[in-house]
Amino acid sequence: MKPSDLPLLSTVSRPTIHPDGSRAVVAVSRPDLDADRTVGQLWSVDVGVDVGVDVDGSGARRITRGISDSYPQFSPDGALLAFVRSPTDGPAQLYVMAAPGGEPVQLTDQKLGIGIWRWSPDSRKIAFTAAVAEDGRYGTVAHLGPGSEPPRRISTLKYRSNGFGYTTDRRRQVFLIDVPSVDDEPGYPTAPSAEHPEPDASTGVPLPRRLTEGDFDHGALAFSPDGRTLAVVSARHPDRDRDLANNVYELTLETPAGELPAAVQVTGHHRRYGISSVEYSPSGELWFIGADLGERGIDFVGRGDQLWVQDAATEAARRLTDSATVQLDGELIVTAEGALVHRLDRGRVHLLRIALDGTVTALVTGDLEVHGTAASHNASTGANTIVVSYTTPSSMGELGLVTASGSHPLTDFSAGLRRGGVTPLQELSVTAHDGSDVHGWVLTPIDQGEPHPVLLVIHGGPFAQWGVSFFDEAQVYVDAGYAVVMCNPRGSAGYGEVHGRATRQRMGTVDFTDVIDFLEGALSRHPALDRERIGVMGGSYGGYLTAWIIANDHRFAGAIVERGYLDPETFVGTSDIGSFFSDEYTGTDPQRMRQQSPQALSGQVTTPTLVIHSEDDLRCPLSQGERFYAALKRNGVETELLIFPGENHELSRSGRPRHRVQRFEAVLDWWARYLPSVANPGIANPGVTSPGV
């Protein structure tokens, strides 16, 4: 893969499936260099295929043509399909169209756009969250720009969020909207249909009913089976500014119009959770996914998300998964047979069904990562259908039908990507010096001569994992002639709680030795790797460990420290997670924090180092990179600082496409200078930056 191949990276959203199980809809998105943004449309896929047939993607049909359409959901009765549309200019709004097609009609006109949303069981209403701006801010006063707004008076520790900005002056509240249909009274837009294909746009959009207020945000939503109650996740407790806990609250929707429904706390009476998803079962039990955050509500390090069920609001929730061995992502679908959840497992993400009694059935396993699930029950035939969106070592995203044998592919959106060639992953497990298992992957160039220069690439997190799926960065580097070594050291996710908590207040210890031990194991097992020519790089926590490594191991020809967590002490008060992250990962004792700080060891660095950072990064603020760069520069280290304007912490994953390409070019230029390969040769004067970087 070349940097210019970025537009071939088609990702597939969480699917939605028609109630009769006949077809599914997904949003397929890709970076567009001409538009310099991610673009995407909705695609309908026939689910009623014969298992075993070859699929070339021709069965998928595009049904919308917006520049960015996403988050599709069929109405429970199957008559309508709602989705989020982001225009070229302006915030994302909710649209609805007749299923399976028609002209979309706008349903919302929120000043700052909408967030999470859900259909009511009777298909007549939609609940959604939206940020509500304080008067005088964010365009609420015509011609009043951001620089002319009044000062912000801050009285909380948490007041900004990476990729969003200030939060305390635009809290996310919950709204309820009536979904118009062809039978509605005048004054509402009519949803398109074969009989009424072009509704009158002049009627405007329905006026939503606001359900919440207060100085706190609202997240996940779920309707009760009878539609009379709405569950919502929020943090309303008095000490919410000093912990990570939140809870499920129930809103009674039969409250008279004009009155806000009372919020009844359902969870959190017996322990503190960090809840990401909530659902009701058809029989009324409340299920949720969340981590147990301990008595202080802040013990998050290595705490994997678990599945819980609460039979009554006054009872303690029951945990249905083993916290010592299981980590789930936030996906949750609840059917009559139990909950459908995703388990992280040694670089894979598998689909499980967990019954009310805790019985676990593996539905999709193997070398893939499941990212989204949808299920339907056809009342006429009694058939149950499950579809998943997933990634593989050779695909950025596909839709599959879950059968008795696993996931059967229904699409081939990555066919163009594979035509350019995909280098396979080689799985590797290494025994560390203390007997621990270190697991990961190696990629080696094809037909580029041996031995290959090596790039040790470290993931962020730390509680994350390198997965088995196609990874654009690794493919770009191996295509440029580098062997790529990636492992999941202690502190990573997907290997159990003990593994995930091993670096709590011990950063730069076993994680450092695990990465080095894995590198040595890869060099020993793969003779095609050149142990005399090695570079190291990583972002976020990967930037932390890269900076730590080059202060303690001087074998590396060069390093790239990207969006790094580099100075635990100054992280507090500057990062959007600074109120808790350093406290839990490096502790609060100044001496112990310094013992785990790459900034404190910057004087030991001699490796040529490129520091990459984004100007609007609120997770690892720009000052983290600037201070590290300045220290290296003042110490005479060959170093450069590359700053991307207008980008945040997610540059390499979801930044502007042109910036992502320019980042790749800068990375390859750095390696061409300090670690040249056959396909990425060096330049005459390594002290001069090549044009365009």
Side-chain angles (χ1 to χ4, degrees):
M1 177 181 170
K2 309 292 186 187
S4 57
D5 291 331
L6 196 71
L8 297 176
L9 302 180
S10 294
T11 57
V12 176
S13 73
R14 173 180 177 176
T16 182
I17 188 168
H18 194 274
D20 66 10
S22 63
R23 60 192 182 278
V25 172
V26 292
V28 181
S29 304
R30 62 177 179 82
D32 187 288
L33 293 175
D34 292 329
D36 201 23
R37 63 172 293 173
T38 298
V39 301
Q41 295 81 37
L42 305 187
W43 291 69
S44 178
V45 181
D46 182 11
V47 176
V49 299
D50 295 329
V51 174
V53 301
D54 292 330
V55 177
D56 61 3
S58 60
R61 177 172 60 92
R62 188 171 64 178
I63 59 174
T64 65
R65 295 187 177 274
I67 190 170
S68 182
D69 297 334
S70 59
Y71 303 107
Q73 288 185 26
F74 278 111
S75 60
D77 63 9
L80 298 173
L81 178 71
F83 64 95
V84 175
R85 170 165 287 179
S86 301
T88 302
D89 297 309
Q93 304 293 347
L94 193 62
Y95 283 70
V96 66
M97 61 193 294
E103 184 67 25
V105 170
Q106 185 173 339
L107 280 186
T108 63
D109 188 21
Q110 294 295 308
K111 190 75 176 176
L112 301 181
I114 73 159
I116 298 168
W117 63 277
R118 298 295 298 271
W119 281 99
S120 66
D122 62 5
S123 303
R124 295 182 62 84
K125 298 179 184 296
I126 288 177
F128 65 88
T129 64
V132 179
E134 286 183 356
D135 290 340
R137 299 195 189 279
Y138 305 108
T140 55
V141 176
H143 309 300
L144 184 66
S148 301
E149 292 179 357
R152 289 177 172 85
R153 188 180 298 275
I154 305 298
S155 59
T156 60
L157 286 171
K158 294 181 284 189
Y159 54 88
R160 292 194 297 177
S161 177
N162 181 70
F164 186 77
Y166 289 101
T167 58
T168 53
D169 55 9
R170 44 176 169 168
R171 292 297 193 185
R172 294 179 177 93
Q173 304 296 343
V174 183
F175 296 83
L176 189 67
I177 194 170
D178 291 318
V179 179
S181 71
V182 294
D183 299 324
D184 278 333
E185 300 175 359
Y188 290 89
T190 48
S193 66
E195 296 79 16
H196 195 83
E198 296 183 1
D200 182 4
S202 65
T203 55
V205 298
L207 183 66
R209 174 189 172 192
R210 182 166 168 173
L211 300 179
T212 62
E213 63 181 10
D215 188 21
F216 34 77
D217 291 307
H218 297 81
L221 305 170
F223 279 97
S224 62
D226 61 10
R228 296 179 178 178
T229 301
L230 182 69
V232 58
V233 175
S234 62
R236 301 182 172 211
H237 51 290
D239 56 344
R240 60 184 177 271
D241 191 41
R242 294 184 174 272
D243 64 29
L244 300 175
N246 55 22
N247 283 295
V248 178
Y249 293 82
E250 288 185 329
L251 310 178
T252 301
L253 300 181
E254 295 178 339
T255 305
E259 296 182 15
L260 293 176
V264 178
Q265 183 176 336
V266 179
T267 63
H269 298 293
H270 304 276
R271 69 177 75 222
R272 293 193 171 192
Y273 306 102
I275 300 173
S276 56
S277 302
V278 61
E279 291 286 346
Y280 289 96
S281 71
S283 54
E285 296 95 358
L286 185 76
W287 301 62
F288 61 93
I289 287 180
D292 181 351
L293 298 176
E295 293 183 3
R296 297 182 298 124
I298 201 171
D299 189 6
F300 73 96
V301 175
R303 298 291 193 192
D305 278 352
Q306 305 297 316
L307 177 65
W308 309 76
V309 64
Q310 186 148 332
D311 300 310
T314 57
E315 298 178 3
R318 292 188 292 121
R319 188 178 63 228
L320 299 181
T321 48
D322 181 4
S323 60
T325 59
V326 173
Q327 181 197 350
L328 305 177
D329 68 9
E331 188 81 354
L332 175 62
I333 303 292
V334 181
T335 70
E337 290 74 34
L340 302 176
V341 297
H342 302 165
R343 180 188 179 185
L344 281 67
D345 185 10
R346 293 179 66 85
R348 286 87 171 167
V349 182
H350 295 152
L351 177 65
L352 309 180
R353 180 170 57 219
I354 302 180
L356 193 60
D357 64 0
T359 301
V360 178
T361 304
L363 300 180
V364 176
T365 59
D367 288 343
L368 48 69
E369 296 181 62
V370 177
H371 295 289
T373 300
S376 70
H377 174 74
N378 190 318
S380 300
T381 65
N384 296 315
T385 306
I386 301 173
V387 293
V388 292
S389 55
Y390 63 96
T391 56
T392 70
S394 60
S395 175
M396 284 289 290
E398 306 297 345
L399 182 71
L401 173 65
V402 178
T403 68
S405 59
S407 176
H408 166 70
L410 297 173
T411 62
D412 192 7
F413 291 116
S414 290
L417 191 64
R418 286 197 302 279
R419 280 193 290 270
V422 174
T423 302
L425 292 165
Q426 302 168 66
E427 193 164 5
L428 178 65
S429 288
V430 170
T431 301
H433 69 285
D434 63 357
S436 298
D437 174 64
V438 190
H439 173 249
W441 288 270
V442 176
L443 296 86
T444 54
I446 300 173
D447 300 328
Q448 293 192 30
E450 298 180 2
H452 309 294
V454 180
L455 291 181
L456 175 61
V457 184
I458 306 172
H459 68 64
F463 197 53
Q465 63 173 2
W466 284 136
V468 73
S469 296
F470 183 95
F471 178 40
D472 61 323
E473 295 194 41
Q475 294 293 327
V476 166
Y477 305 148
V478 74
D479 187 70
Y482 299 96
V484 179
V485 175
M486 306 185 300
C487 74
N488 292 324
R490 273 171 281 187
S492 302
Y495 299 83
E497 189 172 89
V498 172
H499 188 278
R501 291 177 66 80
T503 56
R504 182 175 183 268
Q505 300 185 17
R506 298 178 62 214
M507 293 183 73
T509 58
V510 293
D511 47 350
F512 164 55
T513 56
D514 278 359
V515 168
I516 297 301
D517 287 343
F518 188 84
L519 173 63
E520 291 290 350
L523 294 171
S524 298
R525 307 262 189 100
H526 292 269
L529 276 60
D530 188 345
R531 65 170 52 249
E532 302 302 322
R533 294 187 296 154
I534 308 173
V536 60
M537 63 186 299
S540 197
Y541 162 74
Y544 167 93
L545 201 52
T546 297
W548 187 265
I549 286 172
I550 58 177
N552 290 279
D553 190 324
H554 303 291
R555 78 177 76 181
F556 298 94
I560 298 179
V561 174
E562 185 170 10
R563 62 183 185 275
Y565 170 67
L566 303 172
D567 189 347
E569 185 176 1
T570 62
F571 200 73
V572 179
T574 61
S575 167
D576 65 342
I577 60 173
S579 63
F580 59 87
F581 187 88
S582 289
D583 288 4
E584 292 301 300
Y585 263 111
T586 62
T588 57
D589 177 76
Q591 182 176 354
R592 291 191 63 184
M593 292 177 71
R594 187 173 178 82
Q595 291 171 347
Q596 300 168 80
S597 170
Q599 184 69 33
L601 299 185
S602 59
Q604 300 175 196
V605 175
T606 59
T607 304
T609 302
L610 173 64
V611 180
I612 302 178
H613 229 100
S614 293
E615 197 170 47
D616 297 336
D617 192 337
L618 298 181
R619 183 60 40 85
C620 292
L622 177 59
S623 59
Q624 294 277 306
E626 288 176 322
R627 295 189 73 246
F628 188 71
Y629 162 76
L632 299 191
K633 197 73 171 177
R634 287 159 63 93
N635 291 335
V637 178
E638 295 178 64
T639 184
E640 290 182 7
L641 174 63
L642 186 68
I643 302 174
F644 282 88
E647 299 289 355
N648 60 51
H649 198 65
E650 302 304 310
L651 164 63
S652 63
R653 296 174 283 246
S654 59
R656 288 181 175 273
R658 293 176 192 171
H659 277 163
R660 292 176 67 182
V661 170
Q662 290 163 357
R663 172 190 170 273
F664 271 137
E665 292 172 345
V667 167
L668 293 180
D669 170 76
W670 187 259
W671 294 129
R673 286 194 272 163
Y674 294 99
L675 190 66
S677 69
V678 172
N680 190 40
I683 58 179
N685 184 357
V688 178
T689 304
S690 64
V693 176

